[in-house]
Amino acid sequence: MNIRVKIYKFNNRSFVSLINNNYCPVCPYVSNYINIRLSGLGFNTRVAYINEIKFLLTYFSGLADPINIVQRVQEGVFLKRGEFNAFVSAAKFTSDSKFSNVVNVKHFTDKTLENAIHATNVSNACVKAHTVKGRIKRLRLFLEYLYEQIHADFIAPEGVKQRYEHLNKALKDEQANIRDFDDVCVEFNHSVIPSNIFFKLLEIIHPKSPNNPFKHSKQRNYLIIALFLETGLRRGAIAKLKIEHCKFWGSFDEITITRSPDDKSDPRLHRPSQKTKAHKSYVSHGLMHLIKTYIETIRASFPAAEAHEMVFIAEMNTKGSIGKPISLASINSIFKTLSKKLDFTIHPHLLRHKWNELFTEAAEERGLSNEEMDKLRKYAMGWSRTSVMARVYNEFKDIETIREIQKSRQQQIVNAGYNRYE
């Protein structure tokens, strides 16, 4: 189906509609959604939303086995999991890209997308994260509108209701998680965080910085960001970091990253998880001492913290959470505040990409080959070793080399900014 956006005027008012080859509205439900549900919005906003509707209608009608969304809602079938996944994949690419075609689209995992960052054809075909989020959100809201219109006059069968609620939740979750997509589509010769933004981040995150945007928990937030910068760990790994996992003796630079998906000692309802395999990570001596001081002073001042082993805790009594392990939502809030101050969107996975970028620079300075670099990166990131090639170094040497590379890069970060107020 060839669908076009038609903008016209009537009585000096601008209107917009979706029409087919015969210049007729594509569907009564679509017309009602545009003219009723979206009627209170500004014109430019309506045009943007209608283009999102056009995308999803064009996509579903252009499949080898076309999907009629209205009919699916009427039948209470909605979308099958495979159809849902294919749409989300297609939403990440430009409409004229071969990757947007469900027949040809390759469903990338996080790891393969990180590898594909060097592929120009993929990078050029990607759309921005907000575009992807908009397309997914529009499908969700249009399905919500159809569900209300078609099933509102009677009680929908329990199975229909459950299928709708399951799909609605899946779309919401996918929309929330799509923030990482901008990072993996950055062209390989561009930094994921511009230098001026990165050095500003290093400056404002320090607790003594006059530009620090936080009113409370400055030391805790500083340590969390420093851990992201020095280790490239995932958000879940930092949220579930325990005191016993920090080596406060000997080399005084080692953190153990574990996988415990159902940790009974974690009191949180939504327990963070570590996606990658268990491994060791290393931090500078200065950061390790600051973490130890935080545990012995600030953390120790909260009685509720004695009931668990998590390093980072809630320091405000939001819903009785004071002293309890920090939530993933709280970590997201830290990044939201920093993004507003920087006027640049940052998030945990973006810092993970930045760590990889800095790791590459430090490894190249040491003259490591790409093969050596990739092998060490897999260990440092906790990725599984999928290569069939014989290992060049044993694990001990891997660990020692990673420690030296991280120390080199950490010292550059330390000198550059975030401990300048010590």
Side-chain angles (χ1 to χ4, degrees), residues 203-228:
E203 190 273 324
I204 68 171
I205 193 56
H206 197 281
K208 295 181 181 179
S209 170
N211 297 313
N212 189 295
F214 300 103
K215 295 181 180 179
H216 308 283
S217 307
K218 291 185 178 182
Q219 187 69 18
R220 182 202 66 185
N221 297 348
Y222 162 68
L223 295 176
I224 289 173
I225 297 301
L227 272 175
F228 276 116

Side-chain angles (χ1 to χ4, degrees), residues 123-162:
S123 297
N124 291 341
C126 294
V127 295
K128 294 294 184 180
H130 67 84
T131 301
V132 185
K133 289 165 72 78
R135 290 170 174 177
I136 296 173
K137 180 180 180 180
R138 196 55 42 203
L139 174 59
R140 179 174 63 82
L141 294 180
F142 185 57
L143 286 170
E144 178 181 273
Y145 174 79
L146 292 176
Y147 184 82
E148 292 173 357
Q149 295 299 309
I150 294 171
H151 297 288
D153 291 337
F154 59 93
I155 300 176
E158 190 60 26
V160 172
K161 182 180 179 182
Q162 288 180 355

Side-chain angles (χ1 to χ4, degrees), residues 334-350:
I334 293 172
F335 280 87
K336 184 176 181 180
T337 299
L338 288 171
S339 296
K340 185 176 181 180
K341 182 70 175 181
L342 294 169
D343 195 26
F344 182 89
T345 301
I346 62 169
H347 47 78
H349 210 71
L350 189 64

Side-chain angles (χ1 to χ4, degrees), residues 223-242:
L223 295 176
I224 289 173
I225 297 301
L227 272 175
F228 276 116
L229 291 172
E230 289 201 7
T231 66
L233 291 174
R234 293 181 183 275
R235 180 187 60 166
I238 290 179
K240 69 193 298 252
L241 181 65
K242 294 183 178 181

Side-chain angles (χ1 to χ4, degrees), residues 163-382:
R163 284 192 292 273
Y164 168 73
E165 291 176 347
H166 179 76
L167 176 59
N168 189 55
K169 183 180 184 302
L171 287 166
K172 283 184 178 179
D173 291 343
E174 194 66 41
Q175 181 185 332
N177 292 331
I178 210 68
R179 69 174 69 88
D180 293 341
F181 195 73
D182 274 348
D183 311 342
V184 298
C185 290
V186 174
E187 292 184 21
F188 70 92
N189 59 338
H190 288 82
S191 174
V192 293
I193 304 178
S195 296
N196 62 317
I197 299 295
F198 183 60
F199 287 114
K200 185 177 179 181
L201 170 64
L202 298 182
E203 190 273 324
I204 68 171
I205 193 56
H206 197 281
K208 295 181 181 179
S209 170
N211 297 313
N212 189 295
F214 300 103
K215 295 181 180 179
H216 308 283
S217 307
K218 291 185 178 182
Q219 187 69 18
R220 182 202 66 185
N221 297 348
Y222 162 68
L223 295 176
I224 289 173
I225 297 301
L227 272 175
F228 276 116
L229 291 172
E230 289 201 7
T231 66
L233 291 174
R234 293 181 183 275
R235 180 187 60 166
I238 290 179
K240 69 193 298 252
L241 181 65
K242 294 183 178 181
I243 296 174
E244 63 179 311
H245 296 154
C246 301
K247 190 176 180 181
F248 295 128
W249 68 91
S251 61
F252 214 82
D253 65 352
E254 186 177 295
I255 291 176
T256 300
I257 308 303
T258 63
R259 290 196 70 181
S260 49
D262 191 22
D263 186 353
K264 299 297 189 297
S265 68
D266 190 342
R268 286 168 287 199
L269 179 62
H270 301 290
R271 294 169 178 165
S273 61
Q274 165 60 12
K275 181 177 180 181
T276 51
K277 70 176 185 177
H279 64 285
K280 304 286 187 182
S281 194
Y282 303 92
V283 300
S284 62
H285 288 172
L287 178 55
M288 203 66 162
H289 278 287
L290 289 174
I291 293 173
K292 187 173 185 290
T293 301
Y294 167 80
I295 292 170
E296 295 174 342
T297 57
I298 297 175
R299 186 185 184 281
S301 67
F302 294 88
E306 297 179 4
H308 63 86
E309 278 285 303
M310 308 302 166
V311 171
F312 299 111
I313 62 171
E315 298 179 12
M316 302 295 291
N317 199 26
T318 304
K319 298 181 180 180
S321 63
I322 191 167
K324 296 179 181 179
I326 191 171
S327 66
L328 294 177
S330 294
I331 293 179
N332 289 342
S333 181
I334 293 172
F335 280 87
K336 184 176 181 180
T337 299
L338 288 171
S339 296
K340 185 176 181 180
K341 182 70 175 181
L342 294 169
D343 195 26
F344 182 89
T345 301
I346 62 169
H347 47 78
H349 210 71
L350 189 64
L351 292 191
R352 185 169 168 86
H353 282 294
K354 186 65 177 180
W355 183 93
N356 271 283
E357 180 183 312
L358 298 177
F359 182 92
T360 299
E361 292 178 7
E364 288 176 345
E365 289 173 3
R366 294 177 61 86
L368 297 183
S369 68
N370 287 336
E371 180 181 321
E372 294 169 331
M373 203 182 307
D374 288 345
K375 182 169 60 67
L376 295 175
R377 193 191 310 276
K378 285 178 182 177
Y379 182 90
M381 293 283 94

